[in-house]
Amino acid sequence: MPQFDPTFFAPQLFWLLLTFVTLYVLMNTVALPKIGAVLEERQRKIDDNLDKAAHLKAEAEAAVAAYERALSESRAHAHAVIKEASDRLAHEADERNRALAARLAEQIKAGEVRINQAKTEALANVRDVAADVAGSIVARLVGSDADAGRLQTAVASALEEHGK
Amino acid sequence: MANPIDQFKIQPLVPLNVGGLDISFTNSAAMMVLSIGLITLFLTLSVRSRALVPGRWQSMAEIFYEFIAGMLRDNVGSEGRKYFPFIFTLFMFVLFGNVLGMIPFPVIGFTYTSHVIVTFAMALVVFTGVTIIGFARHGTHYLRMFFPEGAPIATAVILIPIELISYFSRPFSLAVRLFANMTVGHIILKVMGGFVVSLGAFYLVPGVVPFAFLSAITVLEFGIALLQAYVFTILSCIYLHDAIHMH
């Protein structure tokens, strides 16, 4: 077999050494750093983007939290305002009701007093009118004026007789 | 029919002699030069655009890079980082030798990994380097490689010779594995090719059978070309791991 023929061992080893060392130098100084740089750059970019994404996500979450806090705060505030307003209105209505009732009661009382006065006045008038009427009737029937004192007593007794 | 051994013959293309040393530029040397040229062109041109999203060629270069980097990381660990250029060079040199050897170039068509002197030289460099790294890291403690801690002292008589033999047979097994695989594969290809020609010249049908077999063997040989480059490199990584971490 030609593999075991030592004639070409020397040139084989020489060219192997030369090409292998050349390849090693080329790989070590040119090819591998280049590929490594490309891979590293890609990894860095990916990491950067992931970082950015995480940052944006955190920001978005903070915004959502702030929004929800603001929402719940304003809701609570609105509740408080509504409750305060309805309390105040209910109080006012109560007060007004009471005032109105008091005024009405007063007016009713005044009305009753007036009615009583009118009644007594009317009753007094009735006696005078009755005496006048009776006097006229007597004058017409008898032809002369009746005694005023007796007329008064007669009317009074007639009124009493009718329970007035 | 050509002798299937002829394909391993070295032919000097440019006879050179420097100071009594024969350094003729042979077909083997031509293939070595071609292979390192192709490797360098491939790995530099493909990443020239430095694309963020790699194209086909750049992807391939990156796959090679990450494949070897991953192999070194898995088998040796982070201390293996500084030997990455050497391991990478070793892998590419063997791989291109194997694969280019499958292509029948005119005149220079040759598989330099089918020559035991070439594979043995590479194996010896790996073996010597690994041994030096082992002694440099662990000093005389590296001799513990041949007698593991905790083994009963009585077993030393058997254990030490076995460990010594297994250690010193490493360069031979490494060299012979690659050389034998390449040589045998190429002989089979040549013999089959001979059958196709000699049988097909007389009858068409008997020529088809060895041709089908030859096609299958060719596929297999491409697989072996890749696999043996991988095996050579991963064994070097494992030896390196032993030297750095011991057992």
Side-chain angles (χ1 to χ4, degrees):
Chain A
M1 277 178 103
Q3 280 96 325
F4 301 113
D5 174 12
T7 325
F8 289 106
F9 278 5
Q12 284 277 62
L13 289 175
F14 172 78
W15 286 100
L16 171 65
L17 182 73
L18 188 70
T19 51
F20 196 92
V21 170
T22 310
L23 185 63
Y24 179 80
V25 171
L26 284 171
M27 291 296 108
N28 198 19
T29 56
V30 183
L32 294 180
K34 251 184 180 170
I35 303 175
V38 168
L39 292 174
E40 214 163 90
E41 198 181 317
R42 180 175 312 142
Q43 193 56 46
R44 216 194 48 233
K45 199 149 258 177
I46 290 169
D47 287 348
D48 266 13
N49 284 353
L50 282 180
D51 277 1
K52 213 178 280 171
H55 189 68
L56 288 178
K57 189 167 177 254
E59 255 176 30
E61 272 170 2
V64 166
Y67 164 76
E68 268 172 4
R69 204 173 46 243
L71 191 67
S72 69
E73 257 172 27
S74 56
R75 197 172 279 153
H77 181 68
H79 265 295
V81 167
I82 288 168
K83 193 166 159 12
E84 197 257 339
S86 73
D87 278 1
R88 192 160 46 78
L89 288 179
H91 188 70
E92 252 170 43
D94 236 29
E95 203 116 290
R96 244 185 248 172
N97 264 346
R98 209 171 305 137
L100 189 62
R103 214 172 68 229
L104 286 178
E106 225 165 80
Q107 276 177 0
I108 288 166
K109 212 177 274 171
E112 274 172 357
V113 169
R114 256 200 339 268
I115 287 166
N116 272 342
Q117 261 176 8
K119 199 174 161 187
T120 39
E121 255 172 47
L123 279 175
N125 285 349
V126 162
R127 192 175 297 233
D128 288 350
V129 169
D132 276 357
V133 168
S136 301
I137 291 168
V138 168
R140 185 77 60 89
L141 287 175
V142 179
S144 64
D145 286 341
D147 180 36
R150 282 176 63 189
L151 267 175
Q152 287 289 354
T153 13
V155 165
S157 67
L159 280 172
E160 247 158 64
E161 211 170 291
H162 284 84
K164 301 274 165 151
Chain B
M1 185 174 135
N3 189 339
I5 298 297
D6 281 353
Q7 59 179 322
F8 303 113
K9 245 186 203 147
I10 292 171
Q11 291 143 13
L13 302 175
V14 185
L16 283 173
N17 199 310
V18 176
L21 190 70
D22 182 13
I23 54 163
S24 304
F25 188 73
T26 60
N27 53 350
S28 170
M31 286 305 280
M32 290 179 189
V33 171
L34 178 67
S35 130
I36 69 162
L38 287 178
I39 294 167
T40 310
L41 280 180
F42 162 48
L43 291 179
T44 48
L45 292 185
S46 58
V47 292
R48 205 180 30 173
S49 61
R50 309 171 62 92
L52 192 64
V53 178
R56 258 176 249 162
W57 287 96
Q58 192 184 327
S59 262
M60 250 158 62
E62 285 174 10
I63 286 168
F64 276 120
Y65 183 100
E66 290 190 322
F67 178 62
I68 301 300
M71 188 197 283
L72 204 58
R73 194 173 46 242
D74 294 345
N75 290 295
V76 186
S78 52
E79 296 96 329
R81 198 59 211 144
K82 59 183 164 202
Y83 308 112
F84 175 59
F86 175 77
I87 296 289
F88 189 80
T89 306
L90 191 67
F91 176 72
M92 291 312 266
F93 191 75
V94 174
L95 179 73
F96 271 65
N98 291 353
V99 173
L100 290 181
M102 290 297 295
I103 302 168
F105 288 106
V107 186
I108 59 167
F110 185 83
T111 317
Y112 54 78
T113 44
S114 70
H115 268 247
V116 70
I117 186 70
V118 174
T119 61
F120 187 68
M122 289 190 291
L124 204 62
V125 168
V126 170
F127 175 77
T128 319
V130 159
T131 308
I132 290 170
I133 290 165
F135 276 110
R137 284 186 74 96
H138 304 289
T140 50
H141 186 68
Y142 190 59
L143 291 172
R144 268 280 169 204
M145 280 284 283
F146 306 116
F147 188 62
E149 214 126 13
I153 205 84
T155 59
V157 189
I158 312 164
L159 221 49
I160 290 175
I162 289 175
E163 289 286 349
L164 276 172
I165 291 167
S166 97
Y167 192 81
F168 284 99
S169 63
R170 279 173 175 185
F172 299 99
S173 71
L174 202 55
V176 169
R177 184 180 296 110
L178 180 57
F179 143 74
N181 268 289
M182 288 301 114
T183 303
V184 168
H186 282 269
I187 289 174
I188 292 176
L189 286 177
K190 206 66 160 194
V191 169
M192 275 300 137
F195 281 158
V196 174
V197 174
S198 56
L199 288 175
F202 297 109
Y203 313 100
L204 181 62
V205 175
V208 169
V209 177
F211 184 77
F213 195 71
L214 179 66
S215 308
I217 291 286
T218 305
V219 173
L220 181 73
E221 281 306 315
F222 269 106
I224 288 176
L226 302 174
L227 187 73
Q228 286 305 318
Y230 171 73
V231 167
F232 197 92
T233 318
I234 202 162
L235 282 174
S236 303
C237 286
I238 289 167
Y239 297 158
L240 194 58
H241 170 267
D242 279 356
I244 289 173
H245 303 289
M246 302 198 53
H247 280 294

